[in-house]
Amino acid sequence: MSTSVSRMDEDQIEVDTGKVSVVPGTMIEPQCATFCLQDEDHTLGNALRWALMKNSEVDFASYSIPHPSEARTNVRIQTSDNTTAADAMYKGLDDLADLCDHVIQAFQAELAKGEFEYEEEENAF
Amino acid sequence: MDIYNSGGPEVSIRSLKKDSMKFVLTNTDLSVANALRRVMIAEVPTMAIDMVEIETNSTVLTDEFIAHRLGMIPLTSFDVDRIQYTRDCTCTLYCPNCSVELTLHVKVNVDYDDMNDPTIDKTRQVTALDLISSDESVKPVSDDKAHPILIVKMRPGQELKLKCIAKKGVAKEHAKWSPVYGISFEYDPYNRLRHSHYWIEEDEKLEWGVSANAAEETPVDPNEPFDYNAKPDKYYIEVETSGCMKPEEVALRAMTIMQDKLGGLQIKLDDEFKEDTQRWGY
Ligand SMILES: [Zn+2]
């Protein structure tokens, strides 16, 4: 007997094997493309959109989830002639990873400092 | 233009307890703070009972009812990195590399002397403490020994014998794997940005008091013009865990998971564009 719904996953149809792909017909020139990210949602989509918009070479960046029951996110990027959509995507991912690293370091520094209310309670209630 | 918004995100921990942490994240975008919140809830792996093999069950609860209750019991997951996901394992169903076994066997004997004595409580409470784990690092969270998690109540003559298989998983698949019981997430307590629209009877100020976090911000002057360019940049977050791991651990792991996601996507992006490089000639 199983308490999980995980077995259900096996019945799902694999839409795409790759985790990142370019939606066919959206890359008319290298400066624009719609990328399809498999198994990603608002968690990454929204933060990535923000990171992309921070790049001054990016003219347009947005994300959408075409259907709530399909685990994929589309990210549209249009850039200036100085770069390409793929390079902008790569930079966006890179910048966001750097930012995460920054948050981790900030957290660890704060934990090391220990300047907060601390309680190691044995019996909470 | 840089992603760091002058200096980058800052973290200030306000309080840290065994199973909860209050912190303030500043100088970053709402989407980043929300990503942290969402990863903590749904993508930090923990251990939870995923399969139950019932040998004997003469209790009043059905097999599936008990299996469901067992799945919900939080298990200590400090050492979850050591355990593999079954989907990445070489085995077909489960093995010691990707699972932990927990057993439970309770039989309530009939004591005929006590049977007729109404002053003796004959109900046996089967709790999470009755689960015997094969692994010392993965066992039911039991901070409060006086009030352990109740699984089923039994009467004399009843028996429950079962074997549970705990597996590593994430709450994206099933909420039982979430390390957090709750996260409070607030920004802009004075509603300066007007992201909130309060439902009111007559007076907003009277009916909706400000939260404790408002002490850290300046009240809005009703005469000041609305700044439509303003963006939130201070987030008050409180994480309460199930006790399966430390709250600071949940936050740190969440950011690492986010990085792994991004790194994975970069690799896939490279693979995707190897052929395109030739196509576009760059
Ligand atoms: Zn295995």
Side-chain angles (χ1 to χ4, degrees):
Chain A
M1 185 174 304
S2 168
T3 64
S4 160
V5 293
S6 63
R7 299 294 94 71
M8 279 166 59
D9 294 354
E10 288 167 7
D11 302 333
Q12 272 180 9
I13 304 147
E14 284 286 330
V15 184
D16 196 8
T17 47
K19 223 188 166 194
V20 180
S21 57
V22 175
V23 176
T26 60
M27 205 161 102
I28 297 146
E29 52 176 14
Q31 280 70 35
C32 66
T34 301
F35 297 92
C36 179
L37 313 180
Q38 206 63 39
D39 294 323
E40 295 302 342
D41 54 14
H42 299 281
T43 305
L44 194 114
N46 199 12
L48 182 61
R49 192 213 91 249
W50 171 75
L52 287 165
M53 287 306 290
K54 280 279 170 190
N55 182 348
S56 54
E57 298 299 339
V58 173
D59 294 336
F60 179 89
S62 80
Y63 83 102
S64 80
I65 292 167
H67 193 94
S69 49
E70 283 172 15
R72 61 179 180 200
T73 300
N74 285 353
V75 179
R76 175 71 181 169
I77 304 172
Q78 283 169 227
T79 71
S80 71
D81 289 336
N82 301 329
T83 185
T84 64
D87 285 346
M89 182 63 151
Y90 197 87
K91 184 173 158 42
L93 294 166
D94 221 30
D95 287 348
L96 203 54
D98 281 351
L99 192 85
C100 292
D101 199 45
H102 193 104
V103 175
I104 291 171
Q105 280 171 20
F107 243 113
Q108 280 167 339
E110 186 70 6
L111 286 166
K113 243 196 313 173
E115 285 169 4
F116 42 80
E117 197 188 311
Y118 187 76
E119 203 184 326
E120 183 82 47
E121 49 201 337
E122 258 322 305
N123 268 313
F125 316 103
Chain B
M1 271 295 239
D2 72 330
I3 197 163
Y4 286 118
N5 270 353
S6 61
E10 282 159 36
V11 176
S12 168
I13 301 174
R14 294 294 143 93
S15 84
L16 181 60
K17 293 178 184 169
K18 197 161 173 275
D19 50 17
S20 79
M21 171 172 68
K22 276 186 197 163
F23 66 98
V24 182
L25 182 69
T26 44
N27 212 10
T28 193
D29 191 66
L30 178 57
S31 63
V32 174
N34 194 44
L36 171 61
R37 182 189 68 87
R38 286 176 61 106
V39 177
M40 285 195 287
I41 294 171
E43 291 176 56
V44 174
T46 65
M47 295 296 290
I49 291 167
D50 197 37
M51 292 197 285
V52 182
E53 291 164 14
I54 293 175
E55 198 178 309
T56 313
N57 175 22
S58 54
T59 69
V60 291
L61 300 186
T62 58
D63 292 3
E64 34 279 85
F65 200 130
I66 290 170
H68 179 254
R69 289 183 69 77
L70 288 164
M72 298 298 162
I73 296 169
L75 304 177
T76 52
S77 309
F78 305 99
D79 216 7
V80 75
D81 288 340
R82 186 174 51 81
I83 295 154
Q84 274 189 311
Y85 288 107
T86 300
R87 61 166 185 270
D88 299 332
C89 196
T90 47
C91 67
T92 48
L93 196 57
Y94 62 87
C95 75
N97 291 327
C98 66
S99 68
V100 169
E101 227 176 84
L102 297 100
T103 52
L104 183 144
H105 186 199
V106 176
K107 189 175 182 178
V108 187
N109 291 318
V110 185
D111 187 330
Y112 290 100
D113 294 337
D114 293 346
M115 251 348 222
N116 300 317
D117 186 350
T119 61
I120 296 169
D121 181 14
K122 289 171 281 282
T123 306
R124 164 72 152 92
Q125 303 211 349
V126 181
T127 69
L129 298 176
D130 290 305
L131 281 166
I132 313 295
S133 174
S134 64
D135 188 327
E136 200 39 43
S137 68
V138 180
K139 55 185 188 196
V141 172
S142 54
D143 289 334
D144 188 14
K145 290 275 194 293
H147 303 93
I149 299 161
L150 182 67
I151 298 165
V152 61
K153 289 183 181 181
M154 283 166 66
R155 295 288 287 173
Q158 296 179 347
E159 187 183 5
L160 181 62
K161 188 175 186 186
L162 50 86
K163 185 172 93 178
C164 309
I165 308 300
K167 286 187 175 183
K168 182 179 177 176
V170 290
K172 258 209 296 201
E173 191 176 323
H174 191 291
K176 69 185 176 184
W177 275 298
S178 183
V180 304
Y181 272 180
I183 290 188
S184 73
F185 182 94
E186 188 185 27
Y187 63 93
D188 188 26
Y190 284 107
N191 199 23
R192 182 189 296 275
L193 306 168
R194 303 187 193 173
H195 286 190
S196 299
H197 182 84
Y198 295 111
W199 184 91
I200 55 163
E201 292 274 1
E202 271 149 5
D203 187 283
E204 191 185 299
K205 290 260 179 326
L206 275 173
E207 291 160 35
W208 294 92
V210 290
S211 82
N213 296 326
E216 305 207 17
E217 301 200 0
T218 49
V220 179
D221 177 357
N223 299 317
E224 81 179 46
F226 174 60
D227 179 3
Y228 46 83
N229 284 318
K231 284 203 159 79
D233 79 334
K234 197 169 184 186
Y235 312 93
Y236 306 91
I237 306 169
E238 181 174 0
V239 194
E240 188 194 336
T241 73
S242 64
C244 67
M245 56 175 81
K246 289 178 182 167
E248 67 269 32
E249 188 85 344
V250 176
L252 285 171
R253 270 169 200 256
M255 283 331 279
T256 315
I257 288 159
M258 194 72 189
Q259 280 185 313
D260 292 347
K261 258 175 182 306
L262 294 160
L265 286 171
Q266 281 186 321
I267 293 165
K268 296 282 180 182
L269 190 67
D270 271 345
D271 292 349
E272 179 70 19
F273 276 84
K274 257 175 205 149
E275 49 199 91
D276 283 58
T277 314
Q278 289 138 21
R279 198 194 310 166
W280 293 106
Y282 58 84

